[in-house]
Amino acid sequence: ALFLGMDRDQLIGASTRRTTSVVKVNKADRRRSNAFPEQTVMTDDPAHHGGYLAVLSDGTTLFGVFEGTPEAGVTHFQVHALDIAQANGSTPPRTLYDLPVSGQRSELKPIGALDGALLVTRLSVSTDGMTVTGSTLLLLRKAGGPASVLADFAGRYPLPSLAADADNVYWFNDDAKLYSFPRAALREAP
């Protein structure tokens, strides 16, 4: 199957009510069904914010990066996970990580999924939202538990996409520097 984030938007005054879900498309018969149950969020910037922002899989687990409705100036960015065999629209995903953000000064960006784990970067941005001031690369395991911090960068950030061999996992930062860590760390308990 193919998995993707799907949004249906309705303009409500100056805001957008977004119904968002992760959809499963069966390759054999092209039937479409919800993999994660639908959720409704409100957003003032539908081109960049609100609902499922990214969907990734390592082949056994489905991960979704979700941005909720801002409440009292705080927005929750969450990482949801579900075994692909349970991705039927009736089983709610587990929340692996919850990042409360005030003033849109941070956000989560997925880097890649591999061996039952998801790598995300927590970006810190300037008050105008235009410049990355720092980032933290986090490892989230599908079994849950606390996030493992793999690296911190001042003014730099990891780019989406991973590569791996039998021993190491690799990624590039925005300054074209190559980084790695041992692949065994994906499977080790924190």
Side-chain angles (χ1 to χ4, degrees):
L2 173 69
F3 297 93
L4 57 124
M6 173 125 352
D7 299 325
R8 290 189 321 273
D9 292 346
Q10 179 184 9
L11 193 59
I12 308 287
S15 293
T16 299
R17 179 173 40 212
R18 170 168 287 167
T19 303
T20 186
S21 62
V22 174
V23 173
K24 176 182 179 179
V25 179
N26 188 317
K27 291 180 185 177
D29 61 13
R30 298 182 186 170
R31 288 187 189 193
R32 187 173 75 181
S33 61
N34 283 343
F36 290 3
E38 286 186 339
Q39 297 192 59
T40 301
V41 298
M42 296 296 292
T43 180
D44 293 334
D45 186 3
H48 301 103
H49 295 284
Y52 282 102
L53 305 175
V55 178
L56 290 98
S57 175
D58 69 345
T60 62
T61 305
L62 189 59
F63 299 96
V65 177
F66 178 81
E67 179 183 2
T69 301
E71 294 180 19
V74 176
T75 302
H76 286 264
F77 286 86
Q78 297 177 329
V79 174
H80 297 161
L82 190 63
D83 289 338
I84 286 180
Q86 296 178 313
N88 56 24
S90 62
T91 304
R94 300 177 316 280
T95 300
L96 294 182
Y97 187 72
D98 187 334
L99 174 66
V101 174
S102 47
Q104 296 294 341
R105 302 219 27 221
S106 288
E107 56 187 87
L108 286 180
K109 297 287 185 184
I111 304 304
L114 184 67
D115 296 345
L118 178 71
L119 273 69
V120 295
T121 187
R122 184 178 61 212
L123 297 174
S124 299
V125 295
S126 60
T127 54
D128 64 5
M130 302 301 292
T131 306
V132 173
T133 59
S135 67
T136 301
L137 183 62
L138 301 171
L139 169 62
L140 307 172
R141 292 173 184 83
K142 73 176 181 178
S148 297
V149 175
L150 297 178
D152 282 312
F153 300 100
R156 307 270 55 130
Y157 56 94
L159 296 174
S161 190
L162 295 175
D165 58 28
D167 299 319
N168 294 297
V169 177
Y170 306 91
W171 78 92
F172 280 103
N173 268 12
D174 66 311
D175 58 359
K177 289 185 179 176
L178 179 66
Y179 293 88
S180 70
F181 67 93
R183 188 167 182 168
L186 297 173
R187 296 177 294 276
E188 294 172 359

